[in-house]
Amino acid sequence: MPSLVLAPTCAADQWIISFTHDCRRLAQTKNIDALLRPPRVNLKTLLEYNPPSPTHPAPRIHIADLERALDVNSAGSGAAPHPLAELITALVDKAGMANVVERLALFLPVQRVVAWLAQPTRESYNALVLNYAPRPSQLTVPHPQWVDFVLQGPLRDAIIERQDVYATEEFQNIYANSLRLLNWPGRPVDAINMDPTTGEVWLNDTFAAHALRIENWRMHETFVRRYPELRGFVELTES
């Protein structure tokens, strides 16, 4: 059962809804598993924060781009960014997330939610991991699409219950900039593999597994300074 969402309320909603809609259209004629769940994605665009601007505009992802990503012959060093990488990079840039480790770590949770929204099958649901699975509130109460990407399930409930207070771009930005990935002992470079010939960058298996564990995610204290009433909905860190 898909998430019950409102019409787009912000740029992030528009990008996600457009992407998932195009995926569904493409799925009518093609198997899109390789598009939504590729074995490896070049994440070079996530290594550098580029706030939206005339020189870094919103993503322009069309069905032709999705079809290209399905064509194994188009992969390689000269290929354009994978549509998933382009979408997720745009989302974290729009939210103002500059920390490289968190940008990289968010790719997998977000990718799995996108896959479920675009193709709500048992397989995509099972891939969500328990805490990222949709809550009853997401399935029964209309809400902005971006809420489905909040990592903490109880916090998603709180946002949906008080959309008049929390369904804002200010909340999105404060939330994104307060996210912290803990317990990763290495540097950002230790999270990735790199092909020295092509320059492609992708997550290594150890970091990927670490990023998918909800217990490794915390919110910085700045989040509850702005929203003290949400203290009980998130785990906190001072770092």
Side-chain angles (χ1 to χ4, degrees):
M1 182 178 184
S3 180
L4 189 60
V5 297
L6 299 167
T9 60
C10 60
D13 277 4
Q14 183 62 59
W15 300 341
I16 298 163
I17 291 171
S18 176
F19 183 93
T20 55
H21 176 72
D22 283 348
C23 286
R24 292 186 196 119
R25 287 176 58 197
L26 188 60
Q28 294 174 8
T29 58
K30 297 188 177 185
N31 184 326
I32 63 171
D33 285 352
L35 167 66
L36 296 174
R37 288 173 285 277
R40 192 170 95 186
V41 176
N42 183 6
L43 300 182
K44 194 171 183 178
T45 56
L46 281 170
L47 294 178
E48 184 177 354
Y49 169 52
N50 288 301
S53 70
T55 56
H56 293 95
R60 298 180 181 274
I61 304 170
H62 305 291
I63 283 190
D65 301 306
L66 306 184
E67 291 177 323
R68 170 186 52 76
L70 284 173
D71 181 5
V72 295
N73 295 318
S74 70
S77 60
H82 190 285
L84 277 172
E86 190 171 357
L87 172 67
I88 294 171
T89 298
L91 291 173
V92 296
D93 281 350
K94 179 68 171 62
M97 178 177 282
N99 294 337
V100 174
V101 168
E102 281 76 20
R103 288 168 64 89
L104 290 169
L106 272 178
F107 176 80
L108 276 178
V110 172
Q111 175 260 324
R112 293 192 180 197
V113 174
V114 168
W116 172 70
L117 292 172
Q119 200 173 41
T121 62
R122 181 176 296 276
E123 180 185 8
S124 62
Y125 180 89
N126 289 341
L128 284 174
V129 184
L130 180 61
N131 199 76
Y132 306 137
R135 312 273 286 190
S137 63
Q138 293 170 253
L139 304 178
T140 57
V141 181
H143 59 277
Q145 185 79 85
W146 64 263
V147 177
D148 294 328
F149 294 85
V150 170
L151 298 185
Q152 300 88 346
L155 186 57
R156 294 197 295 272
D157 287 336
I159 297 168
I160 291 171
E161 183 178 348
R162 293 296 312 277
Q163 295 182 48
D164 57 323
V165 177
Y166 305 125
T168 67
E169 292 205 33
E170 179 197 23
F171 183 96
Q172 292 179 54
N173 292 338
I174 293 175
Y175 174 80
N177 283 283
S178 299
L179 272 174
R180 297 291 185 273
L181 183 75
L182 299 189
N183 306 319
W184 178 248
R187 301 163 296 166
V189 70
D190 299 317
I192 58 176
N193 294 322
M194 179 179 291
D195 186 321
T197 302
T198 65
E200 287 187 78
V201 170
W202 64 96
L203 301 183
N204 65 47
D205 291 343
T206 301
F207 184 76
H210 188 85
L212 281 172
R213 295 174 65 88
I214 189 63
E215 56 265 35
N216 290 325
W217 289 97
R218 295 287 190 277
M219 301 300 293
H220 191 269
E221 281 280 351
T222 53
F223 179 75
V224 293
R225 290 185 200 133
R226 174 62 181 85
Y227 302 105
E229 70 278 11
L230 295 178
R231 179 176 291 272
F233 293 89
V234 295
E235 298 289 337
L236 298 173
T237 180
E238 296 181 357
S239 60

